[in-house]
Amino acid sequence: MANINSYLTFNGNCLEAMTFYKECLGGELTFQTVGELALPLNEPMPHCMENCVVHSTLIKGAMVLTASDMVPENGLIKGNSVSLLLNCNTEEEAREYYTRLSANGEATHPLEDTFWGALFGDLVDKYGNQWLINFENTY
């Protein structure tokens, strides 16, 4: 069965916030910064972003909280600081949910294979909610 997790976006203080959440909630925190990327991003990042978090995850049992410092070009505005992350069990499920959720909305980033080994894409549904669709084939 698919599940939904929160994905928080911060403006340079992701690691600080996620460390705070770990202190409050417990669990295991993992993260990767721009400076630690093994593969370059599509566009070069300014040197000042070297310590910004590309992706972080806090896990405690069934609780999963994910976050990043990767702010969209239009900046953080009400409504885009939190996305719904839909983790799918199959590629077919990911494609189906992407198609359904993006109908009459905006397919902002089509599903594609990523450098971290997942099929991933994002969209804004017709109600203005942001979704991240993810399928990680672990076979």
Side-chain angles (χ1 to χ4, degrees):
M1 174 179 278
N3 66 63
I4 296 174
N5 296 322
S6 298
Y7 199 103
L8 304 174
T9 302
F10 297 91
N11 197 11
N13 62 342
C14 178
L15 184 56
E16 175 185 330
M18 292 298 281
T19 301
F20 172 74
Y21 297 144
K22 179 183 179 196
E23 291 170 359
C24 292
L25 304 169
E28 182 179 341
L29 176 62
T30 60
F31 64 93
Q32 184 176 31
T33 65
V34 170
E36 295 171 334
L37 284 177
L39 298 172
L41 297 173
N42 291 340
E43 296 183 24
M45 298 296 244
H47 182 68
C48 63
M49 290 189 68
E50 195 170 295
N51 292 320
C52 289
V53 174
V54 175
H55 181 76
S56 64
T57 305
L58 176 62
I59 299 174
K60 182 179 180 186
M63 181 196 70
V64 179
L65 180 62
T66 53
S68 174
D69 281 320
M70 299 295 101
V71 176
E73 284 185 28
N74 60 343
L76 284 179
I77 55 174
K78 185 177 178 176
N80 80 344
S81 64
V82 177
S83 298
L84 298 171
L85 174 61
L86 182 56
N87 286 306
C88 300
N89 292 312
T90 66
E91 180 177 338
E92 295 76 23
E93 186 177 56
R95 293 188 186 285
E96 181 178 320
Y97 287 151
Y98 188 91
T99 300
R100 288 181 182 180
L101 288 166
S102 63
N104 299 315
E106 182 182 357
T108 51
H109 182 251
L111 288 171
E112 64 180 15
D113 292 324
T114 64
F115 67 86
W116 65 86
L119 179 68
F120 180 85
D122 58 27
L123 62 100
V124 177
D125 69 22
K126 64 182 177 179
Y127 302 104
N129 292 313
Q130 297 189 49
W131 291 82
L132 307 172
I133 309 298
N134 188 65
F135 166 62
E136 295 189 31
N137 188 353
T138 57
Y139 303 113

